[in-house]
Each structure stands twice: as structure tokens, then as C-alpha cells.
Amino acid sequence: MFGNLTVAAAKGSSLPTIAILVVFLVLMYFIMVRPQQKQQKKHREMMSQLKKGDHVVTIGRLHGVIDEINDTDKTATLDCDGIFLTFDLRAISAVSAQGPQAVAAPAAKEAEEAPAESTDAEAKTDDVEKSDSDSDAE
């Protein structure tokens, strides 16, 4: 009696089970596989556009400037403040937007702000001197 019920239940439930599995696999593809493929493609394009003088960041977070690229060995020589280091091209994680202009711009802003701060300090000392002279006059 129970044997016939389980066989009938198994025959009727196979289609929804397969549909759920297919939906789950499609969902996994769009959530996990496709974004990873896009990221790999973007990284390959970045690596193909590397040239001498680019500012890069390695996977160890070392910042440097590309001095030489060896395509046969798939290595890059980085100039890190006068120290030349050779890395595999796979070790380069990103091309940084920081260049000579990006470094000079914040320094110029700091130089502009510094005199403004000193004039504020001079104004405060003038106020203190005035209040001292006012109290002496009384």
C-alpha cells in the first residue's frame, strides 16, 4: 500500500525538482561566475596596456613606476624610489592614478592654506593685544 504512494509521489515531483535545480544553477552563474569573468577580462586588458612610466601597485601593496617590461619572461622591473625590483606581471594588481601631477596638486593646496592659517593666528594675537591694552587703560 505505501510502496505505490511513494512511487506515485516520486513521479509527480521530478519536474519541479529539475526546474528548481536549473534556476539555482542559472542564479549561481549570474551571481558568482559572470562577475569573476568580467573582473578577469578587465585585469587582462589593464595588463596588456601597461607601459614604461605607469604607476602601479603590486599585490603586496608596493607602489612603484614601471621601468622595464620583459614580455618573454613575463616580468616587470619597478622603480621604487631608486630601488629597482623585478616582479612577475601577475604580481601587479592595479595601475594607480597617482602620478607626478597628482602628488604636486596636494602640496600646492597645502602651500596655499598655510599663509591663510598664519594670518588667522596674527589676527588672534592682535585681538589679545587689544584686549590687554583695553584692560590697562581702565
Side-chain angles (χ1 to χ4, degrees):
M1 178 170 152
F2 292 110
N4 291 337
L5 290 175
T6 45
V7 172
K11 287 182 181 179
S13 66
S14 63
L15 187 60
T17 304
I18 292 173
I20 289 173
L21 257 166
V22 169
V23 168
F24 182 71
L25 290 174
V26 168
L27 186 66
M28 290 293 288
Y29 173 78
F30 282 106
I31 290 176
M32 296 178 71
V33 176
R34 188 165 175 188
Q36 185 178 11
Q37 287 176 345
K38 283 184 175 183
Q39 186 178 13
Q40 287 174 348
K41 182 180 177 184
K42 182 180 174 183
H43 190 261
R44 277 193 305 267
E45 289 174 2
M46 178 195 66
M47 296 303 286
S48 68
Q49 295 174 355
L50 285 177
K51 61 187 178 300
K52 183 177 178 176
D54 283 346
H55 292 264
V56 295
V57 181
T58 65
I59 57 176
R61 298 293 155 222
L62 181 74
H63 296 250
V65 178
I66 294 181
D67 186 58
E68 177 185 348
I69 296 177
N70 187 343
D71 289 328
T72 58
D73 295 336
K74 300 204 182 295
T75 59
T77 303
L78 300 183
D79 178 10
C80 303
D81 293 332
I83 300 171
F84 293 90
L85 303 170
T86 303
F87 290 96
D88 285 343
L89 285 175
R90 293 179 297 176
I92 296 174
S93 65
V95 176
S96 122
Q98 183 181 22
Q101 297 82 10
V103 173
K109 286 182 182 178
E110 289 175 9
E112 290 174 3
E113 291 175 3
E117 291 174 4
S118 64
T119 56
D120 290 342
E122 290 172 3
K124 288 179 183 177
T125 47
D126 289 341
D127 291 341
V128 171
E129 290 173 5
K130 287 180 185 178
S131 64
D132 287 340
S133 62
D134 291 341
S135 62
D136 291 338
E138 294 175 1

